[in-house]
Amino acid sequence: MAEVKDIAVPDIGDFKGVEVIEIMVSPGDTISVEDPLVSLESDKAAMEIPSPEAGVVKTVKVSKGDKVSQGDILITMEVSAAAPTAEAPAADAAPLPKTPEPAPAPPPERSTEAARPAASAHRPPPVVAGPVDENGFRKAHASPSVRKFARELGADLGRIDGSGPKRRILKEDVRAFIKKALSSGGSGLDVAPMPEIDFSQFGPIEIRPLTKINRLTGQFLHRNWVTVPHVTQFDEADVTELEQFRKSLNAEHKNDGLRVTILAFLIKALVSALKEFPRFNASLDTTGENLVLKKYIHIGVAVDTPEGLVVPVLRDVDRKSLIEVAKELITVSEKARDRKLTPSDMQGGCITISSLGGIGGTAFTPIVNAPEVAILGVSRAQMKPVYITNGDGSGEFVPRLILPLSLSYDHRVIDGADGARFTAFLNKVLSDTRRLLL
Ligand code: CAO
């Protein structure tokens, strides 16, 4: 026969008028002996009140913020006759440091694997073990003993997903969190967590979820940004003659709908540059001790679509003519915008071009598309006065079409001098299109 019992605050020592900070049960919940009912917190300790009975919660008699003492009724519970009864378990209390101790710095890297720079380029973004966000830590759903354990290890409970009942954080979850932080290099970026801000307090807002492409791109960019030491080399190419040639080509093809943009020339110029500088057509292997030099030339092109940024790869561009490349650029960017690219269309790139020339800008710092080791950013070509010397000491300003280039590269693989040589070579090829034939 079921019996309804009052469950009261047990003996909690000298504490009186202790605040209820969390209620872990609701009417209708079936609970077992020792399941936590409420969390209490005084200025000296946090404690959980476990259930002395198994059964079904009928009513909850307290609210968050109430002050309770020994003997105050917390809940009423329908206890089944057969249900086991614990001998009034004591509150599971853990001291609550008044001034939270700072999280210890993560231990230094020990494994050789973790110490290898290249390996990190292929790992997911590091998990940060500290510092602890006190607000999140306080709100986390965990028992005092788990809180204490997390404090000892410097784990931020606010950032741990609980695998226990009602997503309660267990000791195993804390252990797994720390393990992940250590295996990600142990070097966690020691930055303060981003504060949670309610922007609606400043004015009207709208929440719009990121697209799947946004989220995936964000993960890759973040990983590459933090694991690849970037340098960006800026340069300017004189494309005056190239532009004249491009216009004449487009005039020839005006009836067949072909449009050749500077991008097709840039792809062909990159083919020559990669042949001249094979280190740019390489990737670090996962040990970080070897360069994988590629004997093929596939070039990725960043395409801006309403869903986000995608990078289809044009294959074997060294074996294609300028016109073939121009045609493929049209089909591939249409495919990207129609969301018809398959994962294999976006794999195997040796280097990427990010062209913002159709939009504007004078320079930017693109993020290397690792495991590639370089990315060429292209801004808008502009007419500029260039001083041309005649060889006899005299000279004059001449209007020339100047194309700004921004080459970001992985400094572990490419030295600054080679970065500058690479863009100088590109300039030479772009300013004299005959060189594209070489
Ligand atoms: N300087 C001056 N004009 C340029 C130029 C440059 N560097 N690059 C392109 N143009 C011109 C083109 O000639 C074209 O002019 P017309 O309409 O008169 O022919 C116009 O700008 C538009 O070009 P386009 O953008 O359609 O074509 P494209 O071949 O240059 O580029 C593509 C194709 C798919 C790369 C481009 O459309 C695109 O998506 N760019 C954005 C890439 C991006 O978002 N990168 C950022 C990555 S990092 O976040």
Side-chain angles (χ1 to χ4, degrees):
M1 245 277 294
E3 177 195 351
V4 175
K5 275 192 178 178
D6 290 341
I7 309 292
V9 179
D11 178 3
I12 50 173
D14 290 338
F15 297 111
K16 287 204 171 57
V18 186
E19 185 175 343
V20 177
I21 55 159
E22 193 179 356
I23 298 171
M24 286 105 157
V25 291
S26 318
D29 284 357
T30 302
I31 55 172
S32 315
V33 176
E34 296 280 353
D35 274 358
L37 301 176
V38 297
S39 260
L40 307 180
E41 191 178 278
S42 76
D43 57 348
K44 293 199 187 69
M47 63 196 95
E48 247 161 37
I49 308 296
S51 175
E53 306 276 359
V56 178
V57 177
K58 297 299 287 177
T59 48
V60 177
K61 298 282 186 192
V62 287
S63 310
K64 248 174 150 181
D66 284 358
K67 301 269 167 57
V68 294
S69 307
Q70 185 179 342
D72 289 345
I73 309 293
L74 294 171
I75 62 166
T76 61
M77 188 196 270
E78 190 174 279
V79 184
S80 61
T85 305
E87 277 186 31
D92 181 10
L96 183 76
K98 269 192 154 176
T99 318
E101 283 163 32
E109 290 182 23
R110 287 214 184 82
S111 82
T112 42
E113 172 67 18
R116 287 181 191 131
S120 64
H122 301 277
R123 280 196 298 258
V127 174
V128 185
V132 171
D133 169 18
E134 284 307 325
N135 200 22
F137 194 99
R138 194 173 284 264
K139 282 187 195 153
H141 183 18
S143 72
S145 55
V146 170
R147 287 174 185 280
K148 192 163 169 260
F149 182 60
R151 283 264 179 231
E152 279 164 12
L153 296 179
D156 187 349
L157 283 183
R159 303 180 50 223
I160 301 179
D161 284 331
S163 64
K166 302 202 180 82
R167 305 189 61 198
R168 193 171 175 67
I169 302 168
L170 310 175
K171 261 191 182 173
E172 293 80 74
D173 300 323
V174 177
R175 267 193 213 106
F177 176 80
I178 293 291
K179 224 166 154 186
K180 204 169 164 199
L182 293 178
S183 66
S184 72
S187 59
L189 295 176
D190 205 7
V191 292
M194 199 62 83
E196 216 177 286
I197 295 173
D198 174 12
F199 296 99
S200 66
Q201 64 184 304
F202 307 118
I205 58 163
E206 179 199 332
I207 309 285
R208 187 175 298 172
L210 293 180
T211 63
K212 195 172 163 207
I213 293 178
N214 290 154
R215 285 200 307 272
L216 286 174
T217 313
Q219 281 172 16
F220 287 128
L221 290 174
H222 184 204
R223 179 197 64 186
N224 299 345
W225 178 249
V226 297
T227 58
V228 176
H230 280 75
V231 176
T232 304
Q233 171 71 48
F234 301 107
D235 215 329
E236 291 182 326
D238 184 332
V239 291
T240 318
E241 270 86 42
L242 183 153
E243 183 62 5
Q244 280 162 10
F245 178 45
R246 188 182 79 84
K247 280 188 174 150
S248 67
L249 263 183
N250 281 344
E252 275 173 38
H253 287 275
K254 75 169 188 283
N255 294 329
D256 53 31
L258 179 72
R259 192 174 60 110
V260 184
T261 61
I262 295 179
L263 199 50
F265 287 90
L266 280 160
I267 289 173
K268 290 306 283 179
L270 268 184
V271 168
S272 307
L274 291 180
K275 284 182 178 164
E276 188 76 14
F277 299 92
R279 244 180 130 79
F280 282 76
N281 190 7
S283 287
L284 274 170
D285 74 2
T286 45
T287 68
E289 286 168 8
N290 303 297
L291 264 187
V292 181
L293 293 155
K294 297 158 196 172
K295 306 292 178 191
Y296 51 85
I297 302 185
H298 304 334
I299 294 184
V301 178
V303 179
D304 175 38
T305 78
E307 292 290 302
L309 183 69
V310 287
V311 185
V313 173
L314 276 64
R315 284 172 205 278
D316 298 312
V317 275
D318 51 327
R319 293 195 241 139
K320 289 174 181 161
S321 70
L322 181 83
I323 298 295
E324 283 171 324
V325 169
K327 281 182 181 160
E328 201 173 330
L329 265 176
I330 295 169
T331 49
V332 96
S333 41
E334 271 171 17
K335 213 171 159 187
R337 286 174 182 138
D338 294 344
R339 300 167 69 181
K340 291 202 175 124
L341 290 174
T342 61
S344 63
D345 289 331
M346 293 180 272
Q347 283 165 5
C350 303
I351 191 168
T352 296
I353 300 190
S354 174
S355 173
L356 297 175
I359 303 167
T362 54
F364 63 108
T365 54
I367 298 176
V368 172
N369 190 11
E372 296 167 19
V373 294
I375 180 167
L376 182 67
V378 184
S379 300
R380 192 164 190 78
Q382 277 184 49
M383 273 299 183
K384 285 188 174 177
V386 175
Y387 193 73
I388 311 275
T389 48
N390 298 323
D392 58 1
S394 66
E396 57 183 328
F397 279 102
V398 182
R400 306 289 295 176
L401 187 65
I402 302 298
L403 179 71
L405 303 176
S406 310
L407 177 83
S408 292
Y409 55 85
D410 183 337
H411 209 353
R412 293 171 302 181
V413 179
I414 292 156
D415 295 333
D418 280 338
R421 284 188 194 109
F422 191 87
T423 57
F425 182 88
L426 277 178
N427 293 352
K428 201 157 73 175
V429 175
L430 292 167
S431 59
D432 183 357
T433 39
R434 289 171 307 176
R435 289 182 183 274
L436 289 176
L437 302 170
L438 299 176

